[in-house]
Amino acid sequence: MDEGIAAFTGIADSSAYVVTAAADGHRAGCLVGFASQCSIRPVRFAVWLSKANHTYRLALATTALAVHQLPQHRHDLAARFGSLCSARTDKFSGLDWEEGPEGAVVLSDSLAWFVGRIHDRCDGGDHVAFLLDPIAAHAPDPGPPLSLHDVGDITAGHPV
């Protein structure tokens, strides 16, 4: 069964996302492989954060998250947010970012982004879905996004 589902998910190639959170004067971000729009009316989007991830712990203390699509040529940003641990490293050092709605951290070098107010959470096992109500978005003239297959070489930086 595990091999069958691995083969099924292995052919999917959705966007890779960077999710950022800010709370209590701290900020964190991580590379996310599980995310999708999950409702049309109202528009809702779900991002799944690993319970082992520092960003998850910070997301529990905030009201909104920022979700970013990266340009296809920015593997370096995906590696930064996917392979380093926010508890040990300031992933935002040297990057252009700004404070968005509800104090969310918005990456300037993203292809597109939205900030979503946390509507609900759903425990799915080792990941928790954060159900988001979009409150602001920016997608100027997007080119191709970085995909999950593009970032398959990145080893997660969170503690196990």
Side-chain angles (χ1 to χ4, degrees):
M1 166 97 154
D2 288 345
E3 291 174 15
I5 194 67
F8 179 87
T9 59
I11 61 174
D13 194 19
S14 61
S15 294
Y17 299 93
V18 169
V19 174
T20 57
D24 304 322
H26 300 281
R27 60 184 184 244
C30 63
L31 185 64
V32 173
F34 307 138
S36 178
Q37 183 175 344
C38 57
S39 176
I40 296 170
R41 286 188 191 93
V43 174
R44 291 215 169 107
F45 198 91
V47 294
W48 293 81
L49 300 179
S50 168
K51 292 178 183 178
N53 196 303
H54 179 71
T55 304
Y56 164 75
R57 291 186 291 282
L58 204 57
L60 292 174
T62 193
T63 59
L65 300 174
V67 180
H68 307 82
Q69 284 188 316
L70 301 179
Q72 196 170 41
H73 69 278
R74 292 306 306 264
H75 185 277
D76 61 313
L77 277 179
R80 176 187 288 232
F81 283 93
S83 67
L84 302 174
C85 177
S86 291
R88 294 184 284 238
T89 304
D90 180 2
K91 295 182 185 183
F92 301 90
S93 178
L95 294 181
D96 289 331
W97 62 274
E98 60 187 49
E99 186 174 311
E102 297 198 26
V105 180
V106 175
L107 301 173
S108 301
D109 290 335
S110 60
L111 179 67
W113 59 266
F114 80 90
V115 172
R117 188 173 292 124
I118 299 170
H119 177 81
D120 205 353
R121 295 174 185 90
C122 175
D123 190 321
D126 61 359
H127 284 67
V128 171
F130 286 75
L131 185 60
L132 305 175
D133 291 325
I135 57 174
H138 182 68
D141 185 21
L146 196 65
S147 73
L148 289 179
H149 283 119
D150 294 331
V151 300
D153 61 325
I154 298 172
T155 302
H158 58 72
V160 181

